[in-house]
Amino acid sequence: MIGARSIAEPTIKDTVIHRLDPRAKILILISTVFVAVSLDNQKTMFLLFLIVLSGFVLARTPAIKIKTLVLLLVLLIWGTIYSQALFYSQLPRTVIFTIISPDFPVLGWLTGGGLFVYEEGLHHGAIQGLRSASILSLGLLMCWTTDSRDMLNGLVGLRVPYSVAFMVITAVRFLPIIITEVATVITVQRLRGFNPKKFGSGIIRTLLNILTPTIANCVRRTGTLAVSIQSRAFRANLDRTSLKKLKFSDIDKIVVAVCVFAAISIVIMKLIYNMYTSGIYYTSGLRPIYAIAGGYL
Amino acid sequence: MKNIGFFLLVLVLIVQPAAAQVQQEDFKPEDMTTFMIQVPHGVEGNGLAVGNNTLSAYLYFESYYDGNMNVTVELDLPKGFVLREPSVNSFSLHTEYDDWYRLLDFYIPADTPCGTYNITAKAVVDVEGTKHTIVRTTQLKVASKEEVANEVSVSQLIIPSDEDGYGDPSHPSNTLIVQETSPALKKLLKVTDLKTENEDLTTTFMGIKLTNTGNSTIPVIVTYDILDTKTGEPVKAFKPDIMGMNTDTVRYATLTLSPDSSSLISLPMYISQDAMGGDYLLRVKVKLTGSDWVAVTKDQKITAISRKWEPIITTFIASLLGLTALGFFLSRPRKIMDRFKTRNLVMIALFGTVSFAAINLPMTILWELSHAIFGPFSFLFTGLFNEILLYMLIASLVVLIPKPGVISLFMMVRFLLGGFITGSFTPITFITLSVNAIMLELMLYAGGITSKNPAPHNKFKMGILCGFADMVSSYVSFSVWMVLYRLFYSDWYIASNILIDGFLYTFIGTWFGISLGNRLKKVAE
């Protein structure tokens, strides 16, 4: 649970990153996701990853969170490397280890000719892992530098219906309580002799034994909570006011404009380039774009 | 009358021998036969060869004479050349357009001095006992390998090119597209009779520019291979059988290079659909015609781009579906949300919290950890949380609130919560969750579980419906990973994941979820 908290809880400080408007952060994240998904060039992907990581330095992220980040990134990239080493399907590929030989009874046939570890797959996995790593890192940076209430205000500011925002607020508010409840139930179950780590049907029984009291508490709580919020005029008026008004600063506007413009440009350039490589559309006037997209993106 | 008959008989007897004599006298060997020699085979005019090489001389004889003739053909090679077969060949031709040909292999020793040699073929034609002699002479220049190799070069390779070998700027150079046409489009074209090409093969062309800087005419044969860059072995997918024939029989070109000139030729490139993307080595080989000796080799790195259209189309449709669903929700949020009591919204939110606390949070580390340890087989373990636990929650929530839209709201809370707390605002999460929600809503509504008269207690029915819905979203998830994150997955792996994680675990989770929901209902009441 300590690990979970180190992932979940934001650290509020007064840095450039922390001062950014939550809506700006959401828009930057969405723009970066589009950029990360569009890129193919290894160097540019690595550059994007470094830019995202530099955000943690600017935000003066605590060491515990940096450790968590490093652990998550190492596991994420290694996981991608592992899977791609097995499933890499480009040439050339060099077998460095045979897991299932093609002649192995049943499994050899099931796997369509064996399962191997390919040297080039390791490299491909490392490169492609950078893509997910950039997205994950920026997501964590956003969470670790923004209070969840501000984030929800940001969402409402971005026209997410208030009822949905309210559900998320409720979920966020009850998260620590439910985490504690789950931990308590697990302890109780262990004291009663259940082994949560027992594989097979034991896991399902354990899950049922944990879920039943936890959700039963939630269901009980639902009635009380519903009456409480309805008595405070929830959904009574169409328009809502907010105690804390969000306001875009000039820096927010500039950063968002740059990120959104860069993302749109990169996505369009890649789209044009892919249409060219697929033989769908070509015009000589777009050659500079083909050159940039092919060489740097 | 008798006199007339006798007169005709005498006339025939007189005329017949005379006619035969006229026929014999009229036989002109040069006009009534074709006698040809090519050294080496395929070269009209003077040939070129190098020492320590075996060549084929081609002899051809055709008769235009309507009668029997006996022919003896003799090949006379320069001193030092070693003929592998008999130099004298005899044969008979019996009618007009009857012909004979032979390929006679001979060896030019390595120590043969460079220079020009005369090769003579003599045919002695015996027609009705009269012999006629026809002589053909050709010249063969013997040059050193260095001389030939220096004179011939592959000055440019244009990939892909048009049928004439000219490059097309609308296609990226040195790049081959594998599976360019989508299967659906192919079917459509076939149905509409717009295109009837071989479905298994992609064909393109390669332009090869050859230059001869020497003073002699050089007859050459151009072939190529596409090799694995690591092993140097030809790649089978680029040598598919065409109408039962080996590709080598159709992918070559012969040409005669005039002195001090350049020629552009094109060769077809065949790519079978099982060709993998990646980097390859294109090796173009230029041989002297009639010889196995490779005079020039030109290597060029080429890239094959493999396009799997099914994941691309799936990702596109899934993204469209997700955005449409989101747009639909954002266009009438109040109307949709007003269908739910405040109590329902709170319950959905709390279920979202439980799912996040019990699944998302531990899985943030566990998913990565199990992925790092078990690799791709981690789904057997992570599925216990991702599928069984999740569907226990979904099924119990549907039992408690059997209304359309419940699952969508639950998924929305999960997505936003995951985004705020673990930063997982990723396109994959959005597309997968939205498709999962849409499929579940559709299936459960169509199956009568969340319809006007809800019946959420049939474990088997709901298990099957949720199983199928999750199979679809699992497939979509893999497609999105492959397209947006450029990852590779084997078909067998995707299939086993969809069956075990997508169906089996989901079915189990739903089964137990309904029991859980029924128990919770008592608490709620």
Side-chain angles (χ1 to χ4, degrees):
Chain A
M1 293 303 156
I2 292 166
R5 281 193 177 166
S6 75
I7 295 169
E9 285 177 0
T11 312
I12 305 304
K13 287 182 180 173
D14 187 26
T15 68
V16 184
I17 304 289
H18 286 85
R19 280 195 296 270
L20 279 176
D21 187 285
R23 289 169 298 176
K25 287 180 186 172
I26 294 170
L27 291 173
I28 291 167
L29 179 66
I30 293 169
S31 308
T32 311
V33 164
F34 276 100
V35 172
V37 165
S38 301
L39 291 179
D40 278 305
N41 185 286
Q42 300 175 18
K43 287 176 186 167
T44 316
M45 275 165 69
F46 188 65
L47 182 69
L48 176 73
F49 182 56
L50 289 182
I51 291 171
V52 172
L53 289 188
S54 67
F56 288 90
V57 180
L58 288 175
R60 286 186 274 128
T61 312
I64 178 75
K65 291 216 185 296
I66 296 289
K67 277 182 195 168
T68 311
L69 174 72
V70 171
L71 177 72
L72 286 173
L73 288 180
V74 168
L75 291 174
L76 172 78
I77 294 174
W78 171 245
T80 316
I81 289 174
Y82 201 156
S83 72
Q84 293 313 289
L86 298 181
F87 298 130
Y88 186 71
S89 58
Q90 297 253 298
L91 282 180
R93 54 181 186 178
T94 316
V95 175
I96 51 173
F97 188 71
T98 302
I99 296 176
I100 300 171
S101 158
D103 310 324
F104 196 87
V106 187
L107 282 179
W109 170 78
L110 265 177
T111 52
L115 189 61
F116 309 93
V117 176
Y118 297 105
E119 187 186 330
E120 289 77 9
L122 297 171
H123 181 246
H124 179 77
I127 301 296
Q128 299 307 325
L130 281 179
R131 199 188 304 278
S132 337
S134 299
I135 296 172
L136 174 77
S137 306
L138 192 60
L140 287 174
L141 178 66
M142 187 182 81
C143 296
W144 290 346
T145 56
T146 317
D147 184 75
S148 54
R149 272 176 305 182
D150 290 343
M151 193 71 87
L152 287 166
N153 277 340
L155 265 190
V156 174
L158 290 171
R159 310 227 168 152
V160 170
Y162 181 74
S163 302
V164 176
F166 163 77
M167 288 166 76
V168 182
I169 290 170
T170 310
V172 172
R173 292 272 186 228
F174 277 89
L175 190 61
I177 299 166
I178 287 173
I179 288 175
T180 315
E181 269 181 16
V182 170
T184 311
V185 173
I186 290 173
T187 312
V188 171
Q189 297 295 340
R190 274 183 172 167
L191 290 171
R192 293 178 65 187
F194 284 104
N195 180 8
K197 291 173 188 169
K198 197 179 167 187
F199 203 78
S201 61
I203 286 192
I204 297 171
R205 282 185 66 194
T206 309
L207 290 177
L208 270 174
N209 288 330
I210 294 169
L211 274 188
T212 310
T214 312
I215 300 180
N217 269 344
C218 286
V219 172
R220 272 190 216 107
R221 198 173 286 127
T222 300
T224 323
L225 196 62
V227 171
S228 166
I229 56 174
Q230 265 184 331
S231 65
R232 293 176 192 199
F234 175 67
R235 297 204 288 189
N237 301 309
L238 279 175
D239 297 321
R240 278 194 57 86
T241 52
S242 175
L243 182 66
K244 193 177 175 184
K245 287 276 181 192
L246 293 173
K247 198 183 170 195
F248 268 123
S249 68
D250 288 342
I251 294 174
D252 291 329
K253 284 176 191 168
I254 292 167
V255 173
V256 168
V258 168
C259 288
V260 171
F261 177 74
I264 291 172
S265 308
I266 288 171
V267 169
I268 289 174
M269 280 201 277
K270 281 297 282 190
L271 207 63
I272 289 170
Y273 181 70
N274 283 334
M275 285 166 78
Y276 159 59
T277 55
S278 302
I280 295 170
Y281 179 74
Y282 166 83
T283 175
S284 56
L286 293 173
R287 275 187 198 163
I289 290 180
Y290 301 143
I292 294 169
Y296 303 102
L297 305 179
Chain B
M1 215 38 203
K2 265 187 179 179
N3 289 340
I4 293 170
F6 178 75
F7 175 74
L8 283 174
L9 183 66
V10 170
L11 193 68
V12 167
L13 288 171
I14 293 166
V15 169
Q16 204 181 20
Q21 206 172 358
V22 168
Q23 241 180 8
Q24 242 185 38
E25 280 173 5
D26 282 355
F27 181 81
K28 292 174 184 169
E30 291 294 344
D31 294 343
M32 305 194 82
T33 61
T34 293
F35 182 41
M36 197 169 76
I37 178 170
Q38 288 181 348
V39 182
H41 173 223
V43 177
E44 288 174 10
N46 298 338
L48 182 83
V50 290
N52 193 23
N53 213 348
T54 298
L55 300 179
S56 296
Y58 176 67
L59 295 172
Y60 177 77
F61 194 97
E62 186 177 12
S63 165
Y64 305 127
Y65 174 66
D66 189 11
N68 291 332
M69 64 168 71
N70 296 315
V71 186
T72 302
V73 173
E74 186 180 357
L75 179 68
D76 185 22
L77 291 174
K79 198 181 167 191
F81 286 26
V82 182
L83 192 62
R84 307 274 195 205
E85 292 166 60
S87 64
V88 179
N89 287 274
S90 296
F91 53 90
S92 296
L93 302 178
H94 304 289
T95 182
E96 206 174 357
Y97 301 115
D98 210 357
D99 64 358
W100 173 94
Y101 64 87
R102 279 286 181 282
L103 281 169
L104 301 175
D105 289 347
F106 66 93
Y107 174 72
I108 303 171
D111 56 356
T112 307
C114 294
T116 304
Y117 295 84
N118 286 330
I119 295 174
T120 306
K122 189 171 76 180
V124 178
V125 186
D126 182 350
V127 178
E128 301 288 336
T130 308
K131 293 186 174 175
H132 306 268
T133 303
I134 311 168
V135 177
R136 295 283 182 270
T137 301
T138 188
Q139 287 189 325
L140 181 70
K141 183 184 172 186
V142 176
S144 68
K145 287 184 176 176
E146 292 75 22
E147 191 184 339
V148 176
N150 287 337
E151 286 176 356
V152 182
S153 64
V154 176
S155 45
Q156 198 182 0
L157 290 175
I158 304 153
I159 306 152
S161 74
D162 61 14
E163 288 178 28
D164 299 318
Y166 291 102
D168 180 359
S170 69
H171 291 91
S173 58
N174 300 323
T175 305
L176 299 174
I177 307 291
V178 183
Q179 294 176 342
E180 179 56 42
T181 312
S182 83
L185 190 63
K186 267 190 175 176
K187 276 179 196 163
L188 185 72
L189 291 171
K190 205 176 171 184
V191 169
T192 53
D193 275 345
L194 289 173
K195 206 174 180 183
T196 51
E197 63 178 32
N198 187 345
E199 282 187 3
D200 303 325
L201 289 178
T202 308
T203 313
T204 184
F205 290 89
M206 152 174 61
I208 303 169
K209 197 172 185 184
L210 293 154
T211 305
N212 175 12
T213 53
N215 297 319
S216 41
T217 302
I218 305 176
V220 291
I221 295 178
V222 188
T223 60
Y224 72 90
D225 262 317
I226 294 176
L227 311 173
D228 185 315
T229 53
K230 284 265 174 167
T231 62
E233 292 293 319
V235 180
K236 263 190 174 180
F238 293 96
K239 292 182 81 173
D241 285 347
I242 297 162
M243 289 183 288
M245 288 190 300
N246 189 312
T247 325
D248 287 339
T249 56
V250 289
R251 52 176 211 189
Y252 72 91
T254 58
L255 79 155
T256 305
L257 294 170
S258 305
D260 203 19
S261 71
S262 288
S263 300
L264 182 67
I265 58 159
S266 75
L267 282 177
M269 299 177 91
Y270 301 101
I271 312 159
S272 65
Q273 294 213 342
D274 56 355
M276 284 193 273
D279 294 329
Y280 294 90
L281 191 70
L282 170 71
R283 178 162 291 165
V284 174
K285 288 183 277 191
V286 182
K287 294 177 183 176
L288 283 188
T289 305
S291 150
D292 278 338
W293 174 64
V294 179
V296 181
T297 303
K298 171 94 171 177
D299 290 345
Q300 185 147 312
K301 197 181 131 188
I302 58 169
T303 304
I305 299 173
S306 173
R307 289 200 197 287
K308 289 191 172 180
W309 280 98
E310 277 168 27
I312 294 173
I313 293 168
T314 307
T315 305
F316 180 72
I317 293 172
S319 311
L320 216 60
L321 214 59
L323 290 172
T324 309
L326 184 68
F328 178 78
F329 176 73
L330 292 180
S331 66
R332 59 201 77 189
R334 198 170 174 87
K335 203 176 168 187
I336 294 169
M337 297 306 282
D338 283 351
R339 289 164 51 87
F340 295 94
K341 294 174 186 167
T342 306
R343 186 189 168 88
N344 293 154
L345 295 183
V346 173
M347 193 177 285
I348 294 168
L350 291 183
F351 266 73
T353 317
V354 174
S355 85
F356 189 79
I359 303 168
N360 292 45
L361 266 186
M363 286 314 287
T364 306
I365 294 280
L366 271 182
W367 195 86
E368 305 293 358
L369 194 67
S370 68
H371 216 61
I373 296 167
F374 304 116
F377 304 101
S378 59
F379 73 90
L380 295 170
F381 169 71
T382 54
L384 294 173
F385 290 89
N386 278 345
E387 304 296 333
I388 295 182
L389 196 51
L390 176 65
Y391 277 89
M392 278 166 81
L393 285 169
I394 290 176
S396 55
L397 183 62
V398 170
V399 169
L400 291 170
I401 314 168
K403 283 182 183 177
V406 170
I407 296 170
S408 300
L409 285 177
F410 173 75
M411 294 291 186
M412 205 180 286
V413 172
R414 281 189 74 208
F415 175 68
L416 291 173
L417 211 53
F420 291 142
I421 293 171
T422 57
S424 53
F425 269 133
T426 68
I428 287 181
T429 321
F430 169 73
I431 296 171
T432 311
L433 285 181
S434 53
V435 169
N436 201 359
I438 293 166
M439 288 309 299
L440 281 169
E441 293 284 6
L442 287 176
M443 287 274 197
L444 296 185
Y445 188 80
I449 287 162
T450 55
S451 58
K452 279 186 181 173
N453 298 309
H457 303 291
N458 188 331
K459 289 179 181 176
F460 185 77
K461 189 178 173 184
M462 196 163 160
I464 295 281
L465 290 172
C466 289
F468 276 116
D470 201 75
M471 281 171 82
V472 174
S473 54
S474 296
Y475 177 72
V476 169
S477 171
F478 273 111
S479 300
V480 176
W481 277 104
M482 286 193 282
V483 174
L484 296 185
Y485 283 23
R486 327 289 197 269
L487 300 181
F488 300 106
Y489 293 102
S490 297
D491 290 344
W492 65 266
Y493 175 71
I494 296 174
S496 57
N497 210 305
I498 288 174
L499 280 176
I500 298 170
D501 239 23
F503 188 81
L504 185 66
Y505 283 0
T506 303
F507 185 86
I508 295 169
T510 311
W511 186 281
F512 286 103
I514 292 173
S515 308
L516 178 65
N518 287 331
R519 270 184 278 168
L520 290 173
K521 218 170 181 180
K522 287 173 194 163
V523 178
E525 284 160 3

